[in-house]
Amino acid sequence: MDVKEVLRFADDLVFAKTGEHLEDLQEAILGGVWEGKKYSQIAEVSHCSEGHVRNVASKLWKRLSNVLGEEVTPSNLRSALERRQLFIVSSNFGNDFLHIGNVNVCTDTQASEVPKTRSPSTPTSDTSKPQTRLDLADAPHISLLCDRASELATLEKSIVQEKCNLAAISGLSGIGKTALSLHLIQKIQHNFEYVIWRSLRHSPPLETTLKNLLEFLLNKPEIELPTSIPERLSLLMEFLRKNRCLIILDDVQTILSSGQLAGNYRPEWENYSSLFRQIGETTHNSCLILNSWEPPREITALKGEKSPVRSLQLKGLGTAAAEIFRQKSLLNPEKWENLINTYRGNPLWLKIVATTIQEIFRGRVAEFLKYDRLFLGEELAATLHPQINRLSELEKNLICRLSRQANSVSIEQLLQDADLSPSELFNGLQSLGRRSLVEIEEHENETLFSVCPVVRQYVLSNPVY
């Protein structure tokens, strides 16, 4: 195994056992030791002290020892991992499984282990909970989740208790949709027989997505699957009715159209609509979660409190976002709330600005705020560009007009200023709201609209209409 394969293999084993991924420094230590580097060399590359590397390494070896069932040290790391890889390939397992490539890894006790002694009259618990097969090979590393207890509880209630069939988690890039879904898996995975994560980042056609899902669920190669999309879709729905499956599709916005109002599909991916509609409208025992910058149109049409289709638009973090600044070792905590409010609690935006403050001002937030209360560097602007660029001409018109306003404006003011009909204005505002690009507030029985400071700064600096 090369170092990339080692890191992926070890991380999958740890996640299968503990539900947690390796941290960045743990990966650096593991990869460095695999390549024969000393702790001092790893510390230099990782920009920390050798003593800190030794402390983290000690915990890492204990963690791997627990996962592999044998003592792991730097000297026997290679042989220990290679033994486990050989064992996985040559063994069959009987409890919970994690799918790694073409290998099923047991996530609980090994089938070959001797069970604890029970009296003949004591029933085993093996039949009391369903076996869970996990295919998370497409999932990213799990990251810090600050203060999302309410959102997790809402999703858990909708999916586990209320048997929601289709759910969308939407919000701006960096707001935490993927992290929330990964933590949700940890909480509810044992309520399902199958848990699958698939990314649509590269816009796979529906035929490919159905093939990948069915290959794992049915444990069959492509050659044994039907060739037509309707037949594959029918086979998937039959499986979802007979089994309890949790499927997460990440980056769904890649199959949605640019230049149109939110929720419309790109022409070649229009047939995804049939998948989402069937899952949302028919009776079955499973749940499909969609992570997207904007919800597909089926979500907005079918969602409701009494419906098996739900939608969660993820907002920014509150004061709990201070944990991000603590991790970045920022100073002047009395000023942190200013940054959180300005950047609307978006975890990615806060990490970007925190890195800037650390690199230029050595972590001094007060000094940063003397010069620029809202820094929109290239890295942050790059996260906004694809989201603003996909807007329709109507939305670009509106967001530019809103960005030029110092305060929130009413619909009456927008109608006077934008030279639009009421229906055009309503459509544009509704679409921008579904994309999380406008902020709405109530004032004296009147609805007011605005854009957040970061979006305003981007639009004014990069005219889009």
Side-chain angles (χ1 to χ4, degrees):
M1 291 188 288
D2 63 28
V3 68
K4 289 184 179 180
E5 292 172 330
V6 168
L7 293 177
R8 186 57 183 263
F9 181 62
D11 185 69
D12 285 337
L13 288 173
V14 170
F15 184 78
K17 182 75 174 180
T18 68
E20 298 178 354
H21 287 287
L22 293 174
E23 298 172 356
D24 290 345
L25 183 54
Q26 290 177 323
E27 286 195 338
I29 294 169
L30 185 61
V33 170
W34 185 269
E35 294 178 327
K37 294 179 180 178
K38 297 179 180 180
Y39 286 156
S40 58
Q41 295 173 298
I42 298 171
E44 183 177 353
V45 173
S46 302
H47 306 290
C48 58
S49 68
E50 182 178 348
H52 182 58
V53 168
R54 288 187 178 277
N55 290 335
V56 174
S58 176
K59 296 177 182 178
L60 173 63
W61 306 136
K62 290 179 182 178
R63 194 175 196 182
L64 289 176
S65 297
N66 182 53
V67 169
L68 297 179
E70 64 173 288
E71 184 179 4
V72 177
T73 64
S75 60
N76 75 345
L77 172 65
R78 184 178 295 269
S79 59
L81 287 178
E82 288 176 346
R83 273 194 300 273
R84 176 48 60 96
Q85 185 186 46
L86 179 62
F87 179 75
I88 290 171
V89 172
S90 61
S91 301
N92 294 316
F93 298 92
N95 293 303
D96 292 353
F97 295 93
L98 168 66
H99 190 71
I100 305 176
N102 294 319
V103 179
N104 288 328
V105 182
C106 182
T107 66
D108 201 346
T109 53
Q110 311 287 352
S112 59
E113 291 179 342
V114 179
K116 294 181 179 179
T117 303
R118 298 185 181 94
S119 65
S121 60
T122 304
T124 66
S125 60
D126 293 340
T127 59
S128 64
K129 82 170 184 178
Q131 298 176 352
T132 303
R133 289 186 63 208
L134 302 172
D135 184 351
L136 305 180
D138 219 14
H141 291 299
I142 196 166
S143 58
L144 174 71
L145 191 71
C146 300
D147 192 29
R148 292 296 192 189
S150 175
E151 290 89 344
L152 283 171
T154 296
L155 289 168
E156 183 176 9
K157 179 182 178 183
S158 296
I159 295 170
V160 177
Q161 297 179 24
E162 299 172 354
K163 299 295 189 289
C164 163
N165 293 148
L166 178 63
I169 304 174
S170 62
L172 288 170
S173 176
I175 203 68
K177 303 179 294 295
T178 299
L180 180 66
S181 299
L182 288 168
H183 283 268
L184 178 66
I185 289 175
Q186 292 184 357
K187 290 180 66 69
I188 69 174
Q189 66 184 46
H190 291 299
N191 293 281
F192 296 89
E193 298 165 86
Y194 301 85
V195 178
I196 311 171
W197 184 288
R198 286 289 179 270
S199 172
L200 302 188
R201 183 181 302 108
H202 301 298
S203 307
L206 177 61
E207 180 182 10
T208 300
T209 298
L210 291 174
K211 175 185 76 72
N212 289 338
L213 293 175
L214 289 170
E215 282 179 337
F216 173 72
L217 293 172
L218 301 178
N219 197 23
K220 290 182 178 181
E222 182 181 9
I223 193 172
E224 296 182 23
L225 299 177
T227 56
S228 73
I229 289 179
E231 287 178 310
R232 288 185 176 182
L233 185 54
S234 176
L235 188 58
L236 175 64
M237 294 307 302
E238 179 184 357
F239 193 90
L240 298 185
R241 282 189 290 270
K242 293 180 178 179
N243 302 275
R244 186 91 166 114
C245 307
L246 177 64
I247 302 172
I248 300 94
L249 297 183
D250 203 26
D251 288 314
V252 172
Q253 72 277 349
T254 64
I255 65 172
L256 301 179
S257 177
S258 296
Q260 297 187 54
L261 296 179
N264 287 290
Y265 294 91
R266 296 165 63 183
E268 300 88 345
W269 289 265
E270 181 76 31
N271 51 11
Y272 270 91
S273 175
S274 59
L275 168 64
F276 300 158
R277 188 167 289 278
Q278 283 202 40
I279 287 181
E281 290 183 330
T282 60
T283 302
H284 55 84
N285 296 312
S286 302
C287 181
L288 171 63
I289 296 176
L290 308 176
N291 291 335
S292 181
W293 293 347
E294 66 203 60
R297 62 191 181 206
E298 287 74 26
I299 298 294
T300 56
L302 300 174
K303 70 179 181 179
E305 289 186 8
K306 303 298 183 181
S307 166
V309 179
R310 305 294 171 85
S311 178
L312 175 64
Q313 190 172 38
L314 207 55
K315 305 296 184 181
L317 301 170
T319 55
E323 181 61 31
I324 295 171
F325 298 153
R326 276 190 283 271
Q327 287 199 334
K328 292 287 187 178
S329 301
L330 295 193
L331 305 176
N332 312 117
E334 71 280 359
K335 302 289 186 181
W336 291 357
E337 189 173 354
N338 291 341
L339 290 178
I340 295 172
N341 292 336
T342 299
Y343 291 89
R344 292 302 192 262
N346 185 302
L348 179 59
W349 297 355
L350 293 173
K351 290 175 184 176
I352 291 172
V353 73
T355 298
T356 299
I357 294 172
Q358 187 59 259
E359 291 176 348
I360 298 178
F361 299 98
R362 294 298 183 264
R364 293 185 292 273
V365 175
E367 185 178 3
F368 165 78
L369 291 175
K370 287 195 304 184
Y371 299 101
D372 199 339
R373 297 188 67 85
L374 199 165
F375 173 71
L376 189 69
E378 289 187 4
E379 189 177 358
L380 202 161
T383 70
L384 282 171
H385 177 73
Q387 295 169 87
I388 304 296
N389 195 49
R390 68 190 285 118
L391 300 181
S392 65
E393 293 303 308
L394 172 60
E395 292 170 293
K396 289 179 181 179
N397 181 350
L398 280 173
I399 202 168
C400 284
R401 294 181 184 278
L402 286 169
S403 296
R404 290 195 289 267
Q405 301 292 329
N407 302 307
S408 301
V409 296
S410 67
I411 288 180
E412 182 179 358
Q413 290 173 290
L414 285 170
L415 282 172
Q416 294 173 355
D417 181 51
D419 191 26
L420 297 171
S421 69
S423 61
E424 288 176 319
L425 179 61
F426 299 163
N427 282 332
L429 289 174
Q430 186 178 53
S431 186
L432 287 172
R434 290 173 180 173
R435 298 186 198 272
S436 303
L437 287 171
V438 293
E439 297 182 344
I440 305 174
E441 60 180 291
E442 298 290 331
H443 181 68
E444 296 181 353
N445 296 320
E446 189 174 37
T447 307
L448 302 179
F449 298 85
S450 63
V451 295
C452 76
V454 173
V455 173
R456 177 185 292 113
Q457 178 88 346
Y458 175 86
V459 172
L460 294 178
S461 302
N462 302 272
V464 293
Y465 188 79

